[in-house]
Amino acid sequence: MDKVRVRFAPSPTGFLHVGNARTALFNWLFARQSEGVFILRIEDTDIKRSASEYESRLKKDLCWLGLDWDEGPDIGGRFGPYRQSLRIDIYRSYTQKLLEEGKAYYCFCSLQELEKERKRAISLGKMPVYSGRCQAISLEEARRRVDAGEQAAVRLRTPEKGDIRYNDLVRGTLNFDLKLIGDPILVRSNELPAYNYAVVIDDSLMEITHVIRGEDHISNTPRQILIYKALSLTPPQFVHLSLVMGKDNTRLSKRHGATAIDQFEKQGILSSSLFNYLALLGWAPPEGEEVLTKNELVELFNLKKVSRSAAIFDYDKLHWINRQHIKELSSRQKAELAYPYLKESKLLPEKMTDAHWEWLEKAVESLIERVDRFSDLPEQFVKLFEFSPSRMEDKTKEELETDCALRVIYLFAEKISRLDSFDYDKFASLTHEIKRETGCKGKDLYHPLRVALTARDSGLDLDKFIPLVEKGAKLSFPKPLKNCSQRISEVLNFLK
RNA sequence: GCCCCUGUCGUCUAGCUUGGUCUAGGACAUCGCCCUUUCAAGGCGGCAACACGGGUUCAAAUCCCGUCGGGGGCGCCA
């Protein structure tokens, strides 16, 4: 079998979004697992909408996701250039050939005329198809008119009867009636190639073996096959992927949540998590194990097993997968990933000492399991830094005012004031004494202490909380961390 | 409107090619229980689907036909 060559061919008219990214990812996965070549080609023939900022954003996002290309703009390759705007001469030479052979013809119809015909066809309940009116104009006459400055597009002359069928790797045989396909535009009157034409020439010249793209291209495929035929070229294997939808079953868009790839990055979704989730959208691993690394996915992926029906993007599952991937990180990695969010929230200083990092590693290790993205971490850290008995909820405050609670807290305050240092071991022995002296135990003993130390009725285990607060109190933070003894005396003041 | 694609738990899916092993499996979400001084995490368990109607067959999620639903396309956009 020939070496697999696939391509991702975005037009630089917007950011890389989930749908495109998944198409790119499936192409990449297929290329890597078959030890083939993954090509990036920029389809920038729509000069009005294309912009180079988008191209660099696209490339940046692909890199972040870990989709590296073997041939493409900037890095080049044997089949360049990889930007369509640089290939205009190539298309032009093919056009001349088609025109001479009579396989294509100039069309002088105005946009208004065409629009009118289209509307009429629809109102008659028919598929709008170009009438073929300009087919009769001879090449000599057409050239004369073009030289005289008349605007003309170039159309492919297609057969009127019969059908076009092709095999789609995930959908099987697809059949299209030629009566419903008009003569497609090859070259627009501004002399730039139309999408269907440029794609065929590029895919063929770049020796693409498999065209893996979105389902929205299914109906372009017969037109493209017609172009391959006119050019005496062999079409590649086509693979049409179903589309990605939002919760309400409409095409995924901003109102469903994040859709641009860099938004996920900003939220603290690991690229390995998005990669993993995207691969699972429309495909399932044979053994059912869903949390997978890039390498495992390359190994297990099977293009033929891709689902034919549209899939809804599920943020919950993405988040769950992200959690699983975060767990695999080392403490240091977690801390480094968490830091920017915490610095941004003014919880951590600009300059971090070794002691800060050591503390942060422990803090993140304890708190990360309560969130599924790094962007949610600051609100967990706030619970550590913020201690204000006066802002306690009434319900929580009441829990402090029971008989047992009051006795426990006062006794604890008295005992802690006699210590010059505090840690969890000391906490354990104090509570042991308090239990003996007050007779309060279990929840009656621990819960008041939790509330007194945190001003909240839920949170970290105290064996994690106490060391964090005690060690943190010795470090400098934008907003200082109070130690246990400070906290208890504030609560006492508050209760008076 | 016309053409094309598609239809298994709320969601992603396994099973469908080669009917029986499917009282339809897994995962997310949800609910409950356990663990636990709280919350979270974790462990265990529950709820929950073959779109509908006809065939074919001893037997259909699996094959055939129809209906309905969802999506896409119908550009000198890509």
Side-chain angles (χ1 to χ4, degrees):
Chain A
M1 191 179 133
D2 282 346
K3 188 165 196 169
V4 164
R5 293 177 56 86
V6 295
R7 99 278 129 121
F8 176 57
S11 48
T13 54
F15 305 139
L16 185 65
H17 56 87
V18 168
N20 275 169
R22 191 181 64 136
T23 303
L25 185 127
F26 280 30
N27 271 284
W28 185 91
L29 240 22
F30 181 63
R32 290 294 170 259
Q33 83 166 179
S34 42
E35 290 176 353
V37 176
F38 177 65
I39 297 160
L40 176 66
R41 183 175 73 220
I42 302 295
E43 311 217 323
D44 56 349
T45 54
D46 184 352
I47 34 173
K48 275 186 246 116
R49 294 196 298 149
S50 297
S52 63
E53 302 92 87
Y54 287 130
E55 184 184 321
S56 40
R57 279 283 300 273
L58 241 26
K59 288 190 280 200
K60 197 183 124 269
D61 290 339
L62 286 171
C63 289
W64 178 76
L65 243 195
L67 306 180
D68 55 328
W69 50 96
D70 308 304
E71 297 174 22
D74 308 338
I75 64 166
R78 282 200 295 143
F79 304 90
Y82 293 89
R83 205 175 273 122
Q84 287 186 330
S85 56
L86 267 26
R87 301 173 64 81
I88 304 301
D89 290 342
I90 299 174
Y91 310 127
R92 192 167 288 150
S93 66
Y94 281 91
T95 311
Q96 284 318 312
K97 203 170 138 234
L98 288 173
L99 246 16
E100 281 198 3
E101 292 171 351
K103 290 176 178 168
Y105 60 91
Y106 281 105
C107 173
F108 297 91
C109 296
S110 72
L111 297 177
Q112 295 87 319
E113 278 175 290
L114 294 171
E115 183 58 25
K116 220 158 67 186
E117 279 180 23
R118 208 167 2 246
K119 283 202 176 123
R120 191 164 45 222
I122 289 174
S123 72
L124 254 53
K126 285 184 182 162
M127 231 354 231
V129 174
Y130 176 61
S131 66
R133 190 185 315 120
C134 296
Q135 281 175 6
I137 302 167
S138 73
L139 184 56
E140 292 71 33
E141 188 194 337
R143 282 205 166 129
R144 219 176 302 124
R145 287 169 68 174
V146 170
D147 289 342
E150 231 181 296
Q151 293 252 301
V154 177
R155 283 183 190 269
L156 184 73
R157 198 186 298 270
T158 62
E160 275 158 34
K161 279 203 282 266
D163 48 1
I164 284 283
R165 61 172 53 207
Y166 72 93
N167 189 268
D168 187 294
L169 209 56
V170 306
R171 276 157 227 277
T173 305
L174 264 29
N175 209 345
F176 297 85
D177 190 338
L178 276 172
K179 282 200 289 286
L180 302 170
I181 302 171
D183 293 349
I185 295 276
L186 263 22
V187 182
R188 298 181 268 164
S189 52
N190 64 4
E191 296 186 61
L192 289 173
Y195 166 76
N196 282 315
Y197 186 49
V199 160
V200 166
I201 292 175
D202 290 346
D203 284 342
S204 175
L205 256 27
M206 292 180 185
E207 297 180 8
I208 301 301
T209 56
H210 301 255
V211 168
I212 307 168
R213 68 214 324 185
E215 189 178 44
D216 47 343
H217 286 289
I218 286 184
S219 54
N220 278 324
T221 309
R223 286 175 240 282
Q224 291 174 16
I225 289 176
L226 254 10
I227 299 174
Y228 276 102
K229 282 194 172 157
L231 258 16
S232 306
L233 298 169
T234 316
Q237 175 67 246
F238 290 102
V239 187
H240 288 102
L241 266 22
S242 60
L243 269 16
V244 180
M245 316 292 261
K247 263 244 169 315
D248 55 359
N249 233 295
T250 60
R251 251 178 127 143
L252 194 64
S253 67
K254 301 111 241 144
R255 77 199 148 77
H256 294 109
T259 53
I261 295 308
D262 66 334
Q263 283 177 281
F264 292 97
E265 182 184 0
K266 285 193 190 106
Q267 290 179 358
I269 300 280
L270 301 176
S271 95
S272 65
S273 312
L274 220 213
F275 191 103
N276 189 167
Y277 178 69
L278 251 22
L280 253 29
L281 205 57
W283 171 79
E287 301 298 330
E289 175 56 56
E290 294 186 311
V291 180
L292 299 162
T293 63
K294 239 171 95 177
N295 287 340
E296 289 166 332
L297 287 162
V298 167
E299 187 131 333
L300 296 170
F301 184 69
N302 183 347
L303 193 55
K304 290 196 189 100
K305 288 284 201 172
V306 167
S307 161
R308 286 158 311 195
S309 57
I312 292 174
F313 193 90
D314 183 355
Y315 291 90
D316 284 337
K317 185 134 187 184
L318 201 217
H319 291 160
W320 177 79
I321 286 183
N322 196 42
R323 236 175 227 266
Q324 309 311 313
H325 281 253
I326 289 173
K327 277 189 198 162
E328 299 300 315
L329 264 27
S330 69
S331 299
R332 182 68 191 189
Q333 287 174 306
K334 287 178 212 173
E336 278 169 4
L337 286 162
Y339 177 65
Y341 296 91
L342 297 164
K343 186 177 68 176
E344 176 74 14
S345 307
K346 305 263 189 293
L347 292 167
L348 292 182
E350 297 279 337
K351 286 214 175 76
M352 294 277 286
T353 63
D354 287 349
H356 277 109
W357 281 108
E358 199 185 316
W359 178 86
L360 180 60
E361 277 185 36
K362 295 226 168 60
V364 172
E365 203 60 64
S366 299
L367 290 166
I368 195 75
E369 68 180 26
R370 318 175 86 85
V371 300
D372 39 38
R373 294 117 97 197
F374 283 97
S375 61
D376 286 342
L377 214 42
E379 66 183 74
Q380 295 298 325
F381 272 73
V382 163
K383 292 181 186 167
L384 229 47
F385 284 93
E386 208 178 74
F387 175 75
S388 45
S390 56
R391 281 198 274 157
M392 251 188 299
E393 284 182 37
D394 289 347
K395 192 175 111 264
T396 313
K397 200 178 139 197
E398 281 165 28
E399 289 163 351
L400 272 184
E401 290 165 339
T402 66
D403 200 34
C404 231
L406 256 17
R407 278 192 291 147
V408 167
I409 294 164
Y410 278 100
L411 198 51
F412 182 78
E414 190 193 317
K415 286 176 187 292
I416 199 173
S417 69
R418 287 204 291 263
L419 296 170
D420 37 51
S421 73
F422 192 61
D423 58 25
Y424 185 70
D425 284 343
K426 291 191 173 134
F427 174 80
S429 51
L430 286 194
T431 50
H432 195 74
E433 290 170 23
I434 293 169
K435 181 177 166 188
R436 200 160 13 93
E437 292 166 34
T438 62
C440 299
K441 58 182 180 179
K443 197 171 174 172
D444 288 336
L445 170 66
Y446 290 100
H447 197 66
L449 288 172
R450 152 175 309 283
V451 175
L453 293 173
T454 67
R456 287 183 168 81
D457 63 3
S458 68
L460 281 179
D461 289 345
L462 290 176
D463 63 344
K464 287 188 178 140
F465 178 82
I466 291 170
L468 279 179
V469 158
E470 288 299 319
K471 286 184 187 145
K474 296 184 184 116
L475 264 25
S476 87
F477 289 115
K479 178 182 174 136
L481 201 49
K482 290 170 188 151
N483 67 20
C484 291
S485 119
Q486 287 170 293
R487 285 166 185 246
I488 202 82
S489 55
E490 276 188 41
V491 166
L492 250 37
N493 274 336
F494 173 71
L495 285 175
K496 271 175 198 158

